[in-house]
Amino acid sequence: MLNWANRFNIFCFLDNLHYNFNEPAFECLLAAGVQHRIEMQAGKAFNGLKDFYSQHKNKWLFGHFGYDLKNETEQLQSNNFDGIGFADIHFFVPEIVLQLNERQLTVFCDGDAAAIFKNISEQTIAEENSQASFEIKNRISKEDYISSIKKIQQHILRGDCYELNFCQEFFAQPVTIDILSTYKKLSAVSPNPFAALYKVNDRYCICASPERYLKKAGNKIFSQPIKGTSSRNENKNIDDANKQHLLNSQKEKSENVMVVDLVRNDLSKICKEATVKVDELFGIYSFPQVHQMISTISGEIKDDIDWVNAVKATFPMGSMTGAPKKRVMQLIEQYEQTKRGLFSGSIGYINPNGDFDFNVVIRSTLYNAEAKYLSFQTGSAITFYSNAEEEYNECLLKAAAIKSVLK
């Protein structure tokens, strides 16, 4: 499917890699080709998307929200360096949608579905191109990172904020990578339930995300923020101990409950009164590189709230900002050195029934093929009790899977 899709200038491939998070409707979903599309920067992007959707209701839509839509929702600015250049909003009505489950492939198209299936079936899998080795650099030195954490903790001490998600960039240039083989390797090394391979002309996102931002099914809407991380170990006893340490950690639980409260507050803006509830608090889920603490919050969406307003009211997701949202986003802009762009934004789809599902773009490699610029970012939640050295090491742990694939 991916070899076939790569001929298109724009495609979006969503893969849950056999995880069973809230009964997914598919194993993978691929949208290819463009009938109509919208691409806008923050300012009037949400209104533009709303108009676009009104013209194309009852159709599939795929696309993304960039983190810097915060500039529209909260009248902020983004002046840091951006080597990738995704638009703040991009959505498209695809020519072809392929929905694959364990037993069948469903083809949505205006043309000959059988011919499309035959074309895909006859694809020869391209051999991996050998690529020159390259150096991955840190945008922020360890010393500057630790200094920034200490300054952020002073903001917390003064009461400016309670928790802040601080990220750093790793990058390489000039570099040429084989997109499909890189995605295949990342999926093998770090399979996660909200993986994606997304192409918009010469820009790519190779995503191995474990986190859901927002999903709507019928009148129910829910979010599953992640806060709390511990490492995996090949020794089962050590691995179990790491898992138990995460479950018992007051620091990790305090981080998690802060974002749960933030999400509850966000959902209350768009849900019927007294319907927002925490379905699961401090759930521990194990992934290949890390154990994660995940909570699930849900509610019944108000009858007059459309999907664009549901996103606008809750974006960016609290797990990637901190609390309170507006102030921490100002501080993020002050202390981070790279514009987040699509990182800590969201990729997903809206189906013809108006239901949707969006991930959180983390554990992702972003690539601008024209500029030959490669970038990925990792971060962690900073509280007053955070140890700067440990937070730095957590960022390196999260970057390890991507580095192993790229090397």
Side-chain angles (χ1 to χ4, degrees):
M1 286 167 66
L2 287 176
N3 274 273
W4 169 83
N6 206 28
R7 72 186 70 186
F8 294 92
N9 289 331
I10 294 173
F11 73 79
C12 181
F13 179 70
L14 307 173
D15 193 354
N16 71 40
L17 289 158
H18 303 281
Y19 286 89
N20 188 23
F21 270 48
N22 294 91
E23 301 177 7
F26 56 86
E27 173 55 28
C28 55
L29 194 62
L30 172 61
V34 175
Q35 292 186 33
H36 309 278
R37 76 184 185 111
I38 182 172
E39 192 171 44
M40 294 184 72
Q41 297 300 107
K44 297 182 179 178
F46 281 111
N47 286 339
L49 180 59
K50 199 178 291 190
D51 292 341
F52 180 78
Y53 182 66
S54 69
Q55 298 167 35
H56 304 291
K57 273 186 177 177
N58 309 120
K59 295 180 180 179
W60 289 94
L61 264 72
F62 288 75
H64 78 263
F65 297 99
Y67 170 81
D68 295 287
L69 284 166
K70 67 179 176 58
N71 301 338
E72 181 172 329
T73 58
E74 295 288 358
Q75 288 74 55
L76 300 173
Q77 295 182 347
S78 296
N79 299 313
N80 288 327
F81 170 75
D82 178 11
I84 301 296
F86 274 105
D88 290 333
I89 271 183
H90 173 259
F91 277 86
F92 67 103
V93 178
E95 294 174 354
I96 300 162
V97 175
L98 306 174
Q99 182 173 301
L100 184 69
N101 65 23
E102 301 291 354
R103 296 187 177 275
Q104 70 178 25
L105 174 70
T106 305
V107 181
F108 301 88
C109 67
D110 293 331
D112 186 344
I116 293 168
F117 177 75
K118 184 173 184 290
N119 199 333
I120 294 169
S121 302
E122 292 173 351
Q123 287 291 308
T124 54
I125 307 301
E127 296 216 2
E128 181 186 338
N129 296 324
S130 60
Q131 57 189 38
S133 60
F134 53 88
E135 181 186 3
I136 297 171
K137 300 176 182 176
N138 294 42
R139 179 69 60 188
I140 305 176
S141 70
K142 183 176 180 179
E143 293 74 20
D144 286 347
Y145 177 91
I146 289 172
S147 172
S148 294
I149 298 302
K150 289 179 178 176
K151 290 174 184 175
I152 290 166
Q153 288 174 319
Q154 289 304 304
H155 284 285
I156 295 171
L157 185 64
R158 289 197 295 268
D160 293 341
C161 58
Y162 310 106
E163 172 190 14
L164 184 148
N165 189 278
F166 183 66
C167 299
Q168 59 174 311
E169 183 195 20
F170 302 83
F171 70 99
Q173 188 184 37
V175 58
T176 301
I177 63 170
D178 185 312
I179 299 296
L180 297 190
S181 66
T182 302
Y183 175 77
K184 186 177 175 182
K185 283 183 194 170
L186 186 60
S187 297
V189 170
S190 186
N192 279 294
F194 300 102
L197 180 59
Y198 181 52
K199 175 184 180 182
V200 182
N201 298 317
D202 56 358
R203 292 167 176 82
Y204 296 84
C205 177
I206 305 166
C207 175
S209 175
E211 185 170 0
R212 169 178 277 131
Y213 156 48
L214 203 63
K215 176 177 179 175
K216 175 182 171 287
N219 69 341
K220 186 176 181 182
I221 193 162
F222 57 92
S223 181
Q224 295 180 293
I226 293 178
K227 267 292 164 278
T229 305
S230 67
S231 61
R232 299 298 308 270
N233 195 287
E234 291 179 1
N235 182 305
K236 187 178 184 306
N237 291 335
I238 297 175
D239 194 55
D240 288 344
N242 288 349
K243 191 173 180 179
Q244 196 62 40
H245 174 76
L246 176 59
L247 182 60
N248 295 334
S249 169
Q250 290 306 312
K251 172 189 173 292
E252 304 286 8
K253 287 198 286 190
S254 68
E255 289 178 10
N256 193 283
V257 82
M258 277 187 212
V259 76
V260 166
D261 283 342
L262 194 156
V263 171
R264 286 172 63 202
N265 183 62
D266 283 349
L267 290 188
S268 69
K269 301 173 191 172
I270 59 171
C271 288
K272 294 176 182 176
E273 192 173 342
T275 64
V276 176
K277 64 181 189 296
V278 179
D279 300 279
E280 182 181 30
L281 186 65
F282 307 147
I284 306 297
Y285 292 81
S286 298
F287 300 98
Q289 271 74 41
V290 291
H291 300 292
Q292 301 273 206
M293 186 178 284
I294 305 177
S295 294
T296 300
I297 307 99
S298 69
E300 290 181 27
I301 194 164
K302 293 176 184 174
D303 298 332
D304 60 343
I305 296 287
D306 63 36
W307 75 274
V308 177
N309 283 337
V311 172
K312 186 177 180 180
T314 59
F315 192 86
M317 61 290 299
S319 62
M320 295 306 297
T321 59
K325 250 190 193 182
K326 182 172 183 177
R327 183 59 178 132
V328 294
M329 288 192 290
Q330 291 172 333
L331 294 172
I332 284 167
E333 176 68 17
Q334 181 178 337
Y335 289 105
E336 291 183 1
Q337 295 184 19
T338 305
K339 184 177 176 180
R340 289 192 181 181
L342 182 50
F343 171 73
S344 76
S346 183
I347 296 171
Y349 71 92
I350 306 92
N351 71 18
N353 297 325
D355 289 340
F356 60 80
D357 202 0
F358 289 97
N359 73 0
V360 177
V361 179
I362 51 176
R363 319 287 163 82
S364 300
T365 299
L366 302 173
Y367 181 61
N368 184 319
E370 183 181 14
K372 297 188 181 335
Y373 186 87
L374 179 147
S375 170
F376 61 94
Q377 298 189 46
T378 64
S380 64
I382 307 304
T383 68
F384 181 72
Y385 298 103
S386 294
N387 179 296
E389 186 98 18
E390 289 177 3
E391 298 295 342
Y392 184 81
N393 290 334
E394 182 177 324
C395 290
L396 297 184
L397 173 65
K398 290 173 178 175
I402 296 176
K403 281 189 173 182
S404 71
V405 166
L406 294 173
K407 289 183 176 179

